[in-house]
């Protein structure tokens, strides 16, 4: 069974600090990795995608991928109260599907 | 921008009713998906489709069926609604052959079965 694991949280981070979210996956053949943000009562929206080992930066967000260790992480710099949401990690399988983690709830405290 | 729309944001139905949830995408995507999302359980795949008139079972297809008569439209059908089908239903689409499996979501339908 292919799995994606995330700490459910909640993860509480002071405003302005760095929030670090982690995800591990079981399928070594996975090629695409995604972070989605989901506000309460809303649908998931893509915030980062990463396909190769290393870091990928987009504004305040940095995704990190380590295929050898089978983990992917998301760093949010200068955290804002508007970043409070549930963050879903998703990993591709070989059939155009995504395998989803259960999500980490992030709370940014003013 | 990719746009995925769902027919209703909120829906209340009675046990035993037949329920239709509609999803339409305007980006000519080949792949379409239906998920349900419940607290603590994450996203669970119900059915997906790679092309018109094609459908594949996901992880939890029992009690559901789907229809894809046109490329842009993917319908989820609850043949006889039950209270345990009360949930948030999310439709998503993705392009095939783009090298990425990124999925784009509709706004969701919160279904309550009484």
């Amino acid at each position: 069974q292919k799995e994606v694991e995330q700490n459910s949280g909640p993860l509480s981070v002071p405003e302005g600090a760095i929030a670090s979210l982690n995800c591990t996956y079981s399928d070594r053949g996975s090629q695409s990795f995604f972070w989605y943000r989901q506000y309460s009562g809303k649908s998931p929206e893509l915030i980062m995608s990463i396909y190769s080992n290393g870091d990928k930066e987009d504004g305040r967000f940095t995704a990190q991928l380590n295929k050898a260790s089978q983990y992917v992480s998301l760093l949010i710099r200068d955290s804002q109260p508007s970043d409070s949401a549930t963050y879903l990690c998703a990993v591709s399988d070989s059939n155009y599907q995504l395998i989803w983690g259960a999500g980490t709830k992030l709370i940014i405290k003013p | 921008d990719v746009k995925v729309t769902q027919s209703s944001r909120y829906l209340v139905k009675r046990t035993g009713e037949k329920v239709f949830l509609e999803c339409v995408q305007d980006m000519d995507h080949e792949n379409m998906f239906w998920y349900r999302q419940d607290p603590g359980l994450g996203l669970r795949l119900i059915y997906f489709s790679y092309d018109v008139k094609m459908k594949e079972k996901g992880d939890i297809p029992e009690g559901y069926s789907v229809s894809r008569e046109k490329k842009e439209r993917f319908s989820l059908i609850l043949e006889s609604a039950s209270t345990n089908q009360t949930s948030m239903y999310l439709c998503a689409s993705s392009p095939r052959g783009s090298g990425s499996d990124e999925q784009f979501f509709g706004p969701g339908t919160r279904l309550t079965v009484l």
Side-chain angles (χ1 to χ4, degrees), chain A residues 1 32 34 36 38 41-46 49 51 88 92-93 95-98 100-102, chain B residues 9 31 33 35 37 42-43 45 48 50 88 90 96-97 99-103 105-107 110:
Chain A
Q1 178 92 10
S32 305
F34 306 95
Y36 284 77
Q38 186 175 25
K42 303 294 185 181
S43 61
E45 58 176 328
L46 181 72
S49 59
Y51 306 100
L88 305 175
S92 67
D93 75 358
N95 285 325
Y96 309 109
Q97 296 176 52
L98 293 180
W100 295 86
Chain B
R9 290 285 283 122
N31 305 328
F33 307 84
Y35 295 93
Q37 187 176 33
L43 286 167
L45 183 64
F48 58 100
Y50 294 141
M88 169 71 95
L90 292 162
R96 191 168 66 224
S100 166
D101 299 313
E102 172 185 341
Q103 293 182 11
F105 284 85
R110 185 165 294 281

Side-chain angles (χ1 to χ4, degrees), chain B:
Chain B
D1 277 352
V2 174
K3 190 168 184 181
V4 181
T5 57
Q6 295 183 230
S7 50
S8 305
R9 290 285 283 122
Y10 301 93
L11 206 54
V12 179
K13 295 293 182 180
R14 297 280 181 191
T15 301
E17 281 192 79
K18 192 169 185 176
V19 182
F20 293 87
L21 302 181
E22 303 284 339
C23 175
V24 177
Q25 50 93 6
D26 66 358
M27 286 301 292
D28 202 35
H29 286 173
E30 289 82 4
N31 305 328
M32 296 188 75
F33 307 84
W34 274 108
Y35 295 93
R36 64 177 284 177
Q37 187 176 33
D38 301 287
L41 296 179
L43 286 167
R44 292 184 290 168
L45 183 64
I46 305 171
Y47 268 97
F48 58 100
S49 170
Y50 294 141
D51 206 342
V52 177
K53 297 193 185 297
M54 292 184 66
K55 59 184 179 183
E56 299 285 343
K57 292 181 180 179
D59 300 319
I60 52 164
E62 297 77 19
Y64 303 94
S65 62
V66 291
S67 172
R68 193 162 181 206
E69 296 297 318
K70 293 184 178 182
K71 190 175 185 179
E72 67 271 18
R73 187 180 298 270
F74 192 35
S75 302
L76 180 69
I77 303 153
L78 286 66
E79 297 291 343
S80 177
S82 62
T83 55
N84 63 12
Q85 292 178 311
T86 291
S87 187
M88 169 71 95
Y89 289 88
L90 292 162
C91 175
S93 71
S94 70
R96 191 168 66 224
S98 67
S100 166
D101 299 313
E102 172 185 341
Q103 293 182 11
F104 300 87
F105 284 85
T109 295
R110 185 165 294 281
L111 172 67
T112 301
V113 182
L114 301 175

